[in-house]
């Protein structure tokens, strides 16, 4: 028969986990003096010998800050802090838990310490990747807008000079589709601006009636495709020229009308335009 030469107990199993864990385990007394540390913690914090080091000797934390942290941990029986080690200046997450005796008095504070270096490096890489993505979107949007504006400009000349109704109808379709595409590109560009914190309004005087006319023609094609009636009611007292950021106003109205057409199954979509003095 085979006999276990080593008997498994809570004590020796705990000792094995304590010594072999790839997590730093520190045991402090109720005054935040270090009394025990496992092998991983010794390597991480450069501790050669446990000699009642306090928290301020191990991490960049003043006596006052350590005292406040201790009070909070003892009050709540747990706590979390992010500190930088004095050895190697490693960013660490410290998770504290208070152990109490039968009289409910604290006799030690167990701390699991995690090296945040990898997480912080990954976060920095994500930030850099996000910035690169935003820059790419901005550059791409600028590059694409240039030829589209050229197409729309030539199309406008065609609409002004051509008298053939069929060709004019084709030109109107080009104008409407081009404006829709330009609106999408502007949305992409705005998204990259919002992410980089560079979004701003550029108010100027604009032709309000022309803008409403363009938007109506743009959305009417989508409405006709769904066999919906697109209605427009504009207050006659509104001036033809207004002051504001017409690009943003155009985007808002286009998005509202696009959603209205998208979620209307039958009937009509009406745009009412009025003003308040």
């Amino acid at each position: 028969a085979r006999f276990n030469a080593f008997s498994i107990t809570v004590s020796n199993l705990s000792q094995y986990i304590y010594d072999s864990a790839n997590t730093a385990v520190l045991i402090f007394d109720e005054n935040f003096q270090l009394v025990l540390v496992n092998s991983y913690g010794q390597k991480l914090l450069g501790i050669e010998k446990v000699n009642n080091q306090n928290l301020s000797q191990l991490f960049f934390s003043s006596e006052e800050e350590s005292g406040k942290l201790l009070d909070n941990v003892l009050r709540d029986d747990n706590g979390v802090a992010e500190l930088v080690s004095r050895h190697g200046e490693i960013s660490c997450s410290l998770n504290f838990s208070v152990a109490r005796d039968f009289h409910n008095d604290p006799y030690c504070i167990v701390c699991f310490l995690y090296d945040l270096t990898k997480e912080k490096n990954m976060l920095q890489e994500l930030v850099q990747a996000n910035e690169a993505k935003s820059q790419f979107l901005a550059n791409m949007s600028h590059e694409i807008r240039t030829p589209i504006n050229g197409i729309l400009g030539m199309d406008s000349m065609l609409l002004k000079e051509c008298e053939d109704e069929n060709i004019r109808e084709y030109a109107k379709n080009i104008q409407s589709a081009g404006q829709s595409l330009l609106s999408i590109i502007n949305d992409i560009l705005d998204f990259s601006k919002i992410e980089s914190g560079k979004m701003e309004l550029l108010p100027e005087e604009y032709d309000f009636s022309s803008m409403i006319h363009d938007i109506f023609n743009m959305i009417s094609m989508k409405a006709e495709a769904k066999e919906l009636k697109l209605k427009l009611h504009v207050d006659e007292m509104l001036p033809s020229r207004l002051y504001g950021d017409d690009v943003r106003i155009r985007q808002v109205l286009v998005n509202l009308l696009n959603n209205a057409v998208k979620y209307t199954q039958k009937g009509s979509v009406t745009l009412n335009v009025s003003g308040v003095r």
Side-chain angles (χ1 to χ4, degrees):
R2 296 178 58 189
F3 296 90
N4 287 329
F6 180 78
S7 130
I8 298 176
T9 66
V10 172
S11 177
N12 57 41
L13 186 58
S14 299
Q15 183 67 42
Y16 173 77
I17 295 173
Y18 174 77
D19 288 333
S20 62
N22 287 328
T23 300
V25 182
L26 292 79
I27 310 297
F28 296 94
D29 65 14
E30 67 275 15
N31 296 312
F32 256 167
Q33 304 291 321
L34 184 67
V35 293
L36 282 174
V37 59
N38 68 347
S39 300
Y40 189 86
Q42 284 183 296
K43 293 178 182 178
L44 186 66
L45 299 177
I47 300 172
E48 295 182 1
K49 183 179 179 181
V50 176
N51 191 24
N52 290 329
Q53 295 95 328
N54 61 34
L55 198 70
S56 296
Q57 291 174 308
L58 299 172
F59 301 93
F60 289 103
S61 176
S62 66
E63 294 289 345
E64 182 181 357
E65 291 171 338
S66 297
K68 289 181 179 179
L69 178 59
L70 175 61
D71 291 340
N72 293 335
V73 169
L74 291 174
R75 182 193 64 211
D76 300 331
D77 273 354
N78 57 68
V80 178
E82 187 173 321
L83 299 174
V84 177
S85 67
R86 292 188 180 275
H87 174 76
E89 297 189 2
I90 301 169
S91 294
C92 302
S93 173
L94 291 79
N95 294 262
F96 300 99
S97 180
V98 179
R100 297 182 179 273
D101 60 22
F102 293 114
H103 301 287
N104 203 34
D105 294 324
Y107 65 86
C108 76
I109 300 172
V110 181
C111 173
F112 292 95
L113 185 149
Y114 303 96
D115 183 356
L116 298 178
T117 305
K118 290 183 179 178
E119 286 78 359
K120 287 186 176 293
N121 288 340
M122 288 178 61
L123 181 61
Q124 182 62 30
E125 289 175 2
L126 286 173
V127 169
Q128 292 175 351
N130 190 55
E131 289 176 352
K133 179 203 69 177
S134 297
Q135 188 61 45
F136 169 76
L137 288 175
N139 292 339
M140 180 194 70
S141 300
H142 279 298
E143 292 296 326
I144 295 177
R145 282 202 305 180
T146 300
I148 289 179
N149 282 325
I151 292 170
L152 291 175
M154 294 299 292
D155 191 64
S156 296
M157 293 178 61
L158 185 62
L159 283 170
K160 288 180 181 179
E161 298 177 5
C162 183
E163 296 181 357
D164 186 297
E165 286 301 320
N166 288 331
I167 296 178
R168 286 182 58 82
E169 190 64 29
Y170 297 150
K172 287 180 182 178
N173 292 340
I174 292 173
Q175 191 79 9
S176 179
Q179 290 291 353
S180 296
L181 182 57
L182 190 60
S183 177
I184 293 171
I185 293 169
N186 286 333
D187 286 342
I188 295 173
L189 185 59
D190 288 343
F191 180 75
S192 64
K193 285 182 178 179
I194 290 171
E195 282 193 328
S196 61
K198 297 179 180 179
M199 183 69 173
E200 59 182 7
L201 297 177
L202 300 173
E204 59 183 5
E205 189 176 285
Y206 66 95
D207 191 324
F208 175 71
S209 57
S210 176
M211 183 186 72
I212 293 296
H213 181 267
D214 291 344
I215 293 173
F216 185 84
N217 288 337
M218 187 187 310
I219 304 300
S220 62
M221 292 180 62
K222 295 182 179 180
E224 289 175 6
K226 290 189 66 175
E227 298 183 352
L228 298 173
K229 291 183 178 180
L230 184 62
K231 301 178 181 179
L232 175 64
H233 298 150
V234 180
D235 186 349
E236 295 180 355
M237 298 303 293
L238 286 175
S240 61
R241 299 192 67 79
L242 295 175
Y243 185 79
D245 191 330
D246 65 317
V247 174
R248 304 290 171 252
I249 296 171
R250 183 188 297 268
Q251 287 177 324
V252 170
L253 291 176
V254 168
N255 287 336
L256 288 173
L257 288 172
N258 273 333
N259 285 336
V261 171
K262 179 179 179 180
Y263 295 107
T264 301
Q265 301 305 318
K266 60 181 179 178
S268 63
V269 171
T270 303
L271 175 62
N272 288 303
V273 184
S274 60
V276 177
R277 293 184 180 276

